[in-house]
Amino acid sequence: MDKILILDFGSQVSQLIARRVREAHVYCELHPFDMPIDEIRAFAPKGIILSGGPNSVYESDYQADAELFQLGVPVLGICYGMQWMAQSLGGKVESGHTREFGYAEVTTVASRLFDGLPSKTLPNGEHVQEVWMSHGDKVTALPAGFNVIGSNRACPVAAMADEHRGFYAVQFHPEVTHTKHGSAMLHRFVLDICQAAPSWTMPNYIDEAVAKIRAQVGNEEVILGLSGGVDSSVAAALIHRAIGDQLTCVFVDHGLLRLNEGQMVMDMFAKNLGVKVVHVDAAADFMGKLAGETDPEKKRKIIGAEFVEVFQQEAKKLGNARWLAQGTIYPDVIESAGAKTKKAHTIKSHHNVGGLPETLNLKLLEPLRELFKDEVRELGVALGLPHDMVYRHPFPGPGLGVRILGEVKAEYANLLRRADAIFIEELRNTVDEDGLSWYDKTSQAFAVFLPVKSVGVMGDGRTYDYVVALRAVVTSDFMTAHWAELPYSLLGRASNRIINEVRGINRVVYDVSGKPPATIEWE
């Protein structure tokens, strides 16, 4: 299988490079910038991509091994990666008098990277690419053998190439959606310049993954914590495909699930797929531990620690289990700085990356560790899981615990799950002129319980009840998001139903914050 190697110099959007490459059905991996050259050779990439980063190349120790330019494979540098390429090959990089952050236009000339791509054509016949810039430094002298293939007034060397050696570099970020034809540029590099075969597909992956699981596990038994989310569900289906009854799933109901979710999980796996599932009702234990706590991060830690405690108790009852299976996916590994050298920037911690105790004495099985979320969904469908389950909106690990602001109480959870179910039902039932539901048009939607009361009037009586906020966003990568511009009629129906059907709520508001500056979840 052909592979692309991405060396990460610390950019917050390096994941997006990997996603774009995978979208071309070519396998790739993201590794730290200082990956040893012997490991690079062993990886045997068809091409290498150098990511952006926050540093200045002329004063930073973020330096890769320049011997990678001797491997005889194409290399693409992006932003910092372009500057490091230029400096390493004898060019010059300096601080620019004019910085560029945001939308920019770059005039391009003939090259294998840009030829034939859609572009804006000026009256004088020049071709312009609409891109997204984020830099203060710039290349001021080209390395030997390079030519300028893209420029603008602020950045005379906005793209450069040594086409004889297959070296290309761009100062802008083709991986972000703001660069209009950025995906096409990356696909051009991967498929045409590197000539990587597009053989990375989920149906093909199933046979490979099943064989790998069987080889790892042998005749031993596996235990998996089933949350009902996409990742653990697909992991369970894949492992069950490989080893059948050697897998036992433990479903811990912490009292913070969506409406009827526990029954849905049991019906799908135990009844329809024939997977062994142990159902543990631990709601009282979780609520007891959360009593009085209002700090969001502490709530997350309490929920995570209690989950581990309950899971450990159940694991001990299964004396023959030798493997712990988890639904860890590739973004979890990257965001938790799970690379070997630990030099990647940690964005947030994940309970399923190094978070479970060694006292379990179980070996770790992570069959989705190489996959992005969209690939996990494709795999789930290929494994026969219901489309509606696989393409459900993301749900946080702590569940409603981080959608109830302040202290978590069973009363609040009951109100919230009913309000949330009504909102989701209205999204599913409202379709546009193309027949697409607003649930499918949004990337994530949910209700949030606010620990405040407001005055209302119902009938002829005064009410003093709780408030819920509705949240719906549209995003392609969950790194940035825009609030969903839902029809007023939909919002009105959802609000009326929640207030009429959920006794204890008398006011509904809609969140119109983007990410950034807000986050998608409220806590």
Side-chain angles (χ1 to χ4, degrees):
M1 179 177 62
D2 290 344
K3 299 176 289 186
I4 298 293
L5 173 66
I6 303 163
L7 294 182
D8 182 14
F9 286 93
S11 169
Q12 293 296 309
V13 292
S14 294
Q15 274 197 44
L16 295 183
I17 305 173
R19 284 198 60 187
R20 302 294 174 251
V21 174
R22 296 277 185 93
E23 286 167 4
H25 298 296
V26 174
Y27 183 74
C28 66
E29 287 184 12
L30 186 67
H31 286 268
F33 63 91
D34 57 354
M35 183 180 186
I37 193 66
D38 288 344
E39 292 185 18
I40 294 176
R41 286 196 186 93
F43 186 80
K46 288 286 286 186
I48 298 172
I49 300 177
L50 312 171
S51 86
N55 303 295
S56 291
V57 70
Y58 45 79
E59 59 185 19
S60 170
D61 61 356
Y62 275 40
Q63 306 289 328
D65 191 326
E67 195 173 336
L68 66 86
F69 294 114
Q70 309 301 320
L71 297 178
V73 299
V75 181
L76 172 66
I78 296 173
C79 197
Y80 182 95
M82 169 177 174
Q83 296 163 10
W84 180 78
M85 176 188 285
Q87 179 171 280
S88 299
L89 294 174
K92 189 173 184 180
V93 178
E94 298 178 279
S95 177
H97 297 296
T98 302
R99 299 187 301 171
E100 285 185 292
F101 293 94
Y103 176 84
E105 295 186 350
V106 171
T107 300
T108 62
V109 299
S111 71
R112 289 183 68 192
L113 190 62
F114 298 135
D115 283 354
L117 296 183
S119 62
K120 187 163 75 172
T121 304
L122 301 182
N124 62 5
E126 291 182 339
H127 295 281
V128 170
Q129 290 291 339
E130 299 170 275
V131 304
W132 190 74
M133 292 279 198
S134 180
H135 70 103
D137 296 341
K138 61 184 179 181
V139 175
T140 56
L142 293 172
F146 278 77
N147 295 306
V148 175
I149 59 171
S151 63
N152 64 18
R153 182 173 299 176
C155 189
V157 187
M160 64 181 193
D162 178 342
E163 301 207 273
H164 177 70
R165 290 188 286 176
F167 297 161
Y168 296 81
V170 293
Q171 187 57 67
F172 54 86
H173 287 267
E175 69 272 27
V176 301
T177 55
H178 306 71
T179 295
K180 195 168 184 179
H181 301 294
S183 289
M185 295 174 196
L186 287 169
H187 293 180
R188 171 67 59 80
F189 176 74
V190 169
L191 298 174
D192 296 345
I193 296 172
C194 298
Q195 296 188 324
S199 58
W200 175 250
T201 64
M202 288 307 99
N204 290 343
Y205 178 73
I206 291 175
D207 291 341
E208 177 186 332
V210 164
K212 186 175 180 181
I213 292 167
R214 287 174 178 164
Q216 278 185 278
V217 173
N219 295 321
E220 296 174 333
E221 295 192 12
V222 178
I223 183 172
L224 179 146
L226 187 62
S227 70
V230 174
D231 301 337
S232 66
S233 296
V234 174
L238 180 61
I239 296 169
H240 186 256
R241 171 78 65 92
I243 60 173
D245 286 346
Q246 290 171 245
L247 170 69
T248 299
C249 295
V250 177
F251 175 57
V252 179
D253 185 344
H254 49 28
L256 298 167
L257 300 172
R258 289 171 284 199
L259 190 66
N260 300 325
E261 186 150 24
Q263 189 59 51
M264 182 273 290
V265 171
M266 294 303 294
D267 286 346
M268 180 186 307
F269 284 93
K271 295 181 181 179
N272 297 328
L273 297 179
V275 180
K276 288 192 294 186
V277 183
V278 177
H279 186 187
V280 183
D281 184 354
D285 294 333
F286 278 85
M287 291 300 175
K289 294 288 177 64
L290 287 165
E293 186 56 68
T294 60
D295 180 81
E297 188 62 22
K298 289 180 180 177
K299 288 194 297 184
R300 285 179 177 272
K301 289 180 178 178
I302 289 170
I303 293 169
E306 185 63 16
F307 175 84
V308 170
E309 179 65 27
V310 174
F311 190 79
Q312 276 189 291
Q313 293 172 9
E314 295 302 318
K316 289 176 182 175
K317 297 176 185 177
L318 301 171
N320 295 325
R322 296 292 178 268
W323 291 86
L324 171 66
Q326 294 187 155
T328 308
I329 65 175
Y330 202 32
D332 298 339
V333 177
I334 297 168
E335 289 186 352
S336 297
K340 296 175 184 175
T341 63
K342 303 296 181 185
K343 290 189 178 180
H345 290 199
T346 298
I347 298 170
K348 60 182 176 181
S349 59
H350 289 266
H351 74 276
N352 59 345
V353 182
L356 292 176
E358 294 180 2
T359 53
L360 277 174
N361 295 317
L362 297 173
K363 295 172 283 189
L364 201 56
L365 181 64
E366 296 174 314
L368 310 182
R369 191 180 177 90
E370 299 172 338
L371 306 183
F372 283 100
K373 177 72 79 174
D374 49 349
E375 294 172 322
V376 173
R377 295 188 193 280
E378 291 177 28
L379 178 60
V381 171
L383 286 165
L385 292 177
H387 184 277
D388 286 349
M389 190 283 277
V390 171
Y391 283 91
R392 291 174 82 196
H393 288 179
F395 189 60
L400 300 182
V402 291
R403 293 179 179 173
I404 297 171
L405 303 196
E407 184 180 4
V408 177
K409 296 181 179 180
E411 171 199 356
Y412 300 165
N414 288 332
L415 292 173
L416 178 58
R417 64 170 55 93
R418 289 163 61 200
D420 183 79
I422 290 170
F423 182 37
I424 297 303
E425 185 177 309
E426 289 298 329
L427 287 169
R428 288 189 184 278
N429 290 342
T430 307
V431 298
D432 63 11
E433 59 276 7
D434 297 321
L436 192 66
S437 80
W438 274 95
Y439 183 85
D440 292 325
K441 291 180 69 171
T442 55
S443 306
Q444 190 167 359
F446 53 90
V448 179
F449 181 88
L450 307 184
V452 295
K453 286 188 172 184
S454 72
V455 174
V457 178
M458 287 185 165
D460 295 322
R462 175 186 185 274
T463 63
Y464 190 57
D465 287 327
Y466 291 108
V467 182
V468 294
L470 305 183
R471 177 76 157 144
V473 299
V474 177
T475 177
S476 61
D477 52 36
F478 289 90
M479 294 184 176
T480 62
H482 183 72
W483 62 274
E485 298 180 27
L486 301 179
Y488 292 152
S489 57
L490 189 165
L491 290 171
R493 284 194 303 274
S495 174
N496 286 340
R497 284 192 59 196
I498 290 169
I499 292 169
N500 286 324
E501 297 176 30
V502 185
R503 186 180 296 273
I505 295 173
N506 71 353
R507 191 177 297 270
V508 176
V509 299
Y510 187 54
D511 182 352
V512 293
S513 311
K515 176 187 179 181
T519 54
I520 294 176
E521 297 284 350
W522 277 43
E523 287 193 342

